[in-house]
Amino acid sequence: MSRWGFVGRTDELNRLLSAVTGAERRGIFFSGNAGIGKSRLLREGMAALPRDGYAVWTIAASATTAALPFGGLVQVLPTEQPQGLSPAGILRWAVDVLQQQAAGRRIVLAVDDAHLLDPPSAALVHLVARSDNATVVGTSRDGEQLPLPIRALWTDGLVDHVELRPLPPAETTRLLSAILEGPVDATSADRLGRLSEGNPLLLRELVFAADRGELTRTYGIWKWTGRLELAPNLTDLIDVRIGQLTPGVRGVVELVAFGEPLGLHLLNQAADPVDVETAEERGLIAVEHDDRRANVRLAHPLYGEVMRRRCPVSRTRRLQARLAELLELVGKRRRDDLLRVAVWRLDSGTAQDPALLLDAARQAFARYDVPLATRLARAALDAGGGFDAAELLATILMFADRPDEAIGVLDAVATDIEGDRRLSRWLTVRGMVSYWGLSRESTVEEIAARRTTLTDSADQARVLAFEGIMRLHRLDTGIALRLGQTVLDRPAASVAARELARSTIAHLQAAQGQLHRSATAINRVQAEAGRWRADMPYLQLALELARGTRLALAGDLAGIDAIVADEFADLAGAGDFRLGTGYLAILQAYAARLRGQSDAALRTSLGACAVLATSRVYAGLAQAERAQAAALRGDAAQAAEAMAEADRTHAPGMIVLYPWLEQARGAVLAAGGDVSGAVKHLNGLADRLRADGFAGHEVHVLHDLVRLGQPTAPLGPTCSDGGRRTVAQRLTELSERVDGLLPPLLARHARAAAGGSADELLAVADGFDALELTVYAAEATATALDRLRRRRSPAAAAARERLAALLGRCDLVRTPALQAGSPALSDREWQVARLAADGVTSRVIAERLYLSARTVENHLQRIYGKLGVAGRAELRAALRAIPGHDGSDGG
């Protein structure tokens, strides 16, 4: 674990430095809660000031020095003070001492924790602030009594006063990554951020408290289990905030700790309203309004951690039972009330109603809270919930990555199967666990054989829907389509069965390039979510796979942004629904990659690999996306490693995902320098996709061939005239069959690359740019620039500027298409070019590189020729238009 780095606060730091170095030099004071980062901000600001122009003194006031006259300035003033001076005379003497020590430099007096200054020190600070050549900056803690001279600094207009706010989520995540020296899982970062409420000190203490086996690292990504051991430092910090509590107020805080959010009317029935008011006045609880209900929460999440840990078990159970009784008395008016009562009953040891526990488990699972749903379903089974509880528990265990345990639960109730309804549900759950959880492909035939014994049409439809999606995933596409349509044609089929079948068909339509029909089906499934989620919440995964496939093949990055930010993403993340969060992370990485955001693409794909490490359903897909992200950066070693992991972890029952994995393999080969091998592989993949009817995927693979310089290469079977189509011809043909804006643009790119003008390539680049496909736009522009440069066209300068602008929006991007047209500079030429672009004269370059001036000029002439520029004026833009223009490409 690294030193606590300074992260974020850029605006505040700039404002602090401006207050010292700006024209007005008014000074500034930051106030805020303990641990919010005031002191660190002050230190960073003072460290940035040059000492040759500023005489900087930092005062750290403390409770120890607060009782001593001038104790706060003991670090600044001489040890011995002159005798016989009046208080005013001592103040003037102290100011004179500072002026003498400054020796003509501007005085900067930085006061940390100014609320702890003794009165004479506070008066001196105020006096210094009034000096012409001095600036005072400082910090104070909220809720503390300030010395009047300090408060007068901003009330008199001598300094600005700023309330320092908590770190926003993005900066909290950056701080976590800095502390842990590596990226952090998004869900873990969100949980730790919420617990700390953006307070850097609390965040750091939380990390130290969690760093006891509860923080694990997988594929370089840190993940927190959620369990927290409260270290003494952490409890001391919270104790300072909570203070001493009367029994009544403590009871209020404990009730809210176990019940939040708690209705205010309920809290007033459980506790004395006067104590409730006192707790609110003390800042221990907060009342917030939700619609017409006033809810009470703790003022800080960690208050609850401390109160719950310290509350004796007997009192904890009594409080929870009391909360359940009160809510049952007033009536469970809201949907969440049932879940809250069940949890309180379970935790208090008073849960005796299996129906209540079962309903609550279903509700928790419908919210994708896998850990809570598991607890409630197991309790329902233990309380005598029978077959229904076993079915639900086994389903949840499947999504908790515990398939063997799920099979055991199902087999234990196999003798309780009575009637078609139970048999159909038992078959589908067991089939799901066996096929996806245990990767047993024979499950499909077993289900198909046993469904023939069912006589009820609705029960048959449920099993048919499950068999259909399994058939799709193992690439029995014809049977999958027939089974799905059979379910849709059955009026007796349940909503869940119908929408599962529709999701299967929508996925297949997307792969086939029928993107409009796929979108219509997906929208229909989503519209029915309120009717199927309670019965089959995991249907959301089939919906997201179909929707994600369609959006990715359509190049709809804005659509991907929308689904990775919607309610399901939040629920899945909060509830540890890993298949959901993992797949959405893969989509997010895909969108980042096509935008050229290679850092985000690699980081997010690694996060997906970590989340899916214990589940094989999407593990191979996550590794393939990681391979693509690494290949985009030119990191051949990591790309190859990820591809090997993709092959190792890819589930045999998810063959339908093969286009993504094999497309990644082509990118990995190309990144490793085997472009001919990549071309051969992608040709074979295009043949396979054509045979499978996956035109939606085929257009993307053919475009990869275009990007590798193969638009005129023949492919596919021999035509009736004895010839073979070229890549560009096949893309043009498919652009008339595959829906959407992207296929015609890909075909246009192929034709332009095959022999079109540079202007046509630039127009294609504009089309890609409009869709945010920045990598494709940069590649098309690079090809156009290469053609213009070879012709020594004056239009090359404008194209070069466009390419530099596109690459400027990307992180590190190194693709064969970008590098193919890039001039190759030697190491020495890179050195000379970078210095010349920075405005360094040839004579100075010669001195720095130990060359003669003539040699430098000779290098520059060769550089100009390679880059197609006339001189130094165009050199900077030319270098910016080369991938890796920092020179790391070498030659």
Side-chain angles (χ1 to χ4, degrees), residues 300-359:
H300 196 287
L302 283 177
Y303 294 174
E305 292 288 337
V306 171
M307 299 305 290
R308 287 189 290 269
R309 298 293 177 89
R310 291 182 172 176
C311 192
V313 173
S314 57
R315 185 156 77 239
T316 294
R317 292 195 163 201
R318 177 174 57 78
L319 289 170
Q320 290 167 330
R322 175 65 174 149
L323 288 167
E325 291 167 3
L326 284 171
L327 193 51
E328 286 170 335
L329 285 173
V330 301
K332 298 185 285 290
R333 301 171 186 173
R334 297 194 178 189
R335 179 173 174 79
D336 284 355
D337 288 348
L338 180 144
L339 183 57
R340 289 154 63 76
V341 167
V343 172
W344 287 331
R345 287 293 183 197
L346 181 59
D347 290 343
S348 65
T350 59
Q352 299 175 344
D353 183 357
L356 171 68
L357 294 168
L358 189 57
D359 286 345

Side-chain angles (χ1 to χ4, degrees), residues 542-747:
L543 169 62
E544 297 302 339
L545 184 57
R547 182 160 54 175
T549 301
R550 189 193 73 78
L551 291 170
L553 295 180
D556 187 352
L557 305 191
I560 291 176
D561 292 344
I563 67 171
V564 300
D566 69 5
E567 182 188 24
F568 171 63
D570 291 338
L571 292 173
D576 202 25
F577 192 65
R578 297 175 197 169
L579 286 180
T581 55
Y583 180 69
L584 292 178
I586 293 169
L587 286 180
Q588 192 174 6
Y590 178 90
R593 173 165 58 87
L594 295 190
R595 286 180 170 125
Q597 298 167 357
S598 63
D599 290 348
L602 186 58
R603 183 175 62 253
T604 309
S605 60
L606 278 167
C609 293
V611 168
L612 297 165
T614 56
S615 172
R616 297 189 65 189
V617 177
Y618 295 135
L621 185 62
Q623 293 289 353
E625 187 53 49
R626 173 191 167 205
Q628 286 272 26
L632 178 65
R633 297 173 63 85
D635 187 346
Q638 182 169 187
E641 174 192 307
M643 199 68 236
E645 279 291 281
D647 291 335
R648 184 184 68 81
T649 60
H650 184 51
M654 296 296 290
I655 308 174
V656 72
L657 300 178
Y658 83 83
W660 304 108
L661 272 75
E662 297 309 319
Q663 194 176 358
R665 197 181 311 280
V668 171
L669 288 168
D674 187 5
V675 175
S676 61
V679 169
K680 180 179 180 181
H681 173 76
L682 292 173
N683 266 292
L685 177 56
D687 290 342
R688 182 178 177 184
L689 291 167
R690 182 172 57 254
D692 287 336
F694 284 0
H697 284 285
E698 189 184 350
V699 294
H700 287 269
V701 172
L702 295 176
H703 186 242
D704 279 354
L705 286 168
V706 174
R707 296 170 63 209
L708 291 176
Q710 303 294 310
T712 59
L715 81 164
T718 303
C719 301
S720 57
D721 61 1
R724 297 168 70 196
R725 296 183 189 86
T726 65
V727 170
Q729 289 170 338
R730 176 61 176 167
L731 259 176
T732 299
E733 177 185 316
L734 287 175
S735 70
E736 298 172 359
R737 290 170 40 195
V738 178
D739 301 331
L741 298 173
L742 187 57
L745 187 58
L746 300 180

Side-chain angles (χ1 to χ4, degrees), residues 406-584:
I407 288 290
V409 170
L410 288 169
D411 289 349
V413 295
T415 56
D416 297 335
I417 299 174
E418 298 173 354
D420 281 4
R421 176 190 169 278
R422 283 193 175 182
L423 178 57
S424 68
R425 299 184 76 90
W426 188 86
L427 281 175
T428 53
V429 175
R430 199 178 195 288
M432 177 172 60
V433 175
S434 177
Y435 185 80
W436 285 291
L438 300 175
S439 298
R440 294 174 183 167
E441 295 180 79
S442 61
T443 302
V444 181
E445 282 73 27
E446 293 167 7
I447 282 185
R450 296 198 63 175
R451 68 173 163 80
T452 58
T453 64
L454 298 170
T455 57
D456 183 86
S457 181
D459 295 324
Q460 285 180 348
R462 186 180 185 90
V463 180
L464 284 169
F466 270 87
E467 182 187 343
I469 194 168
M470 290 178 193
R471 294 280 187 185
L472 170 67
H473 286 181
R474 76 174 201 176
L475 223 57
D476 297 338
T477 54
I479 300 175
L481 181 61
R482 177 173 56 79
L483 292 175
Q485 196 58 57
T486 299
V487 174
L488 294 179
D489 291 341
R490 291 198 178 187
S494 68
V495 173
R498 280 203 313 272
E499 302 315 320
L500 178 59
R502 205 183 312 275
S503 295
T504 301
I505 294 172
H507 184 174
L508 182 56
Q509 288 169 335
Q512 293 172 339
Q514 302 176 57
L515 301 183
H516 294 325
R517 293 181 66 187
S518 177
T520 300
I522 287 167
N523 290 337
R524 176 69 181 274
V525 179
Q526 186 63 38
E528 295 288 343
R531 300 177 63 196
W532 53 254
R533 186 162 284 143
D535 177 22
M536 200 183 287
Y538 47 87
L539 196 159
Q540 189 82 38
L541 289 174
L543 169 62
E544 297 302 339
L545 184 57
R547 182 160 54 175
T549 301
R550 189 193 73 78
L551 291 170
L553 295 180
D556 187 352
L557 305 191
I560 291 176
D561 292 344
I563 67 171
V564 300
D566 69 5
E567 182 188 24
F568 171 63
D570 291 338
L571 292 173
D576 202 25
F577 192 65
R578 297 175 197 169
L579 286 180
T581 55
Y583 180 69
L584 292 178

Side-chain angles (χ1 to χ4, degrees), residues 187 190-191 194 368-371 569-577 581:
T187 300
D190 179 64
R191 289 175 180 173
R194 281 189 284 109
Y368 304 104
D369 190 336
V370 173
D570 291 338
L571 292 173
D576 202 25
F577 192 65
T581 55

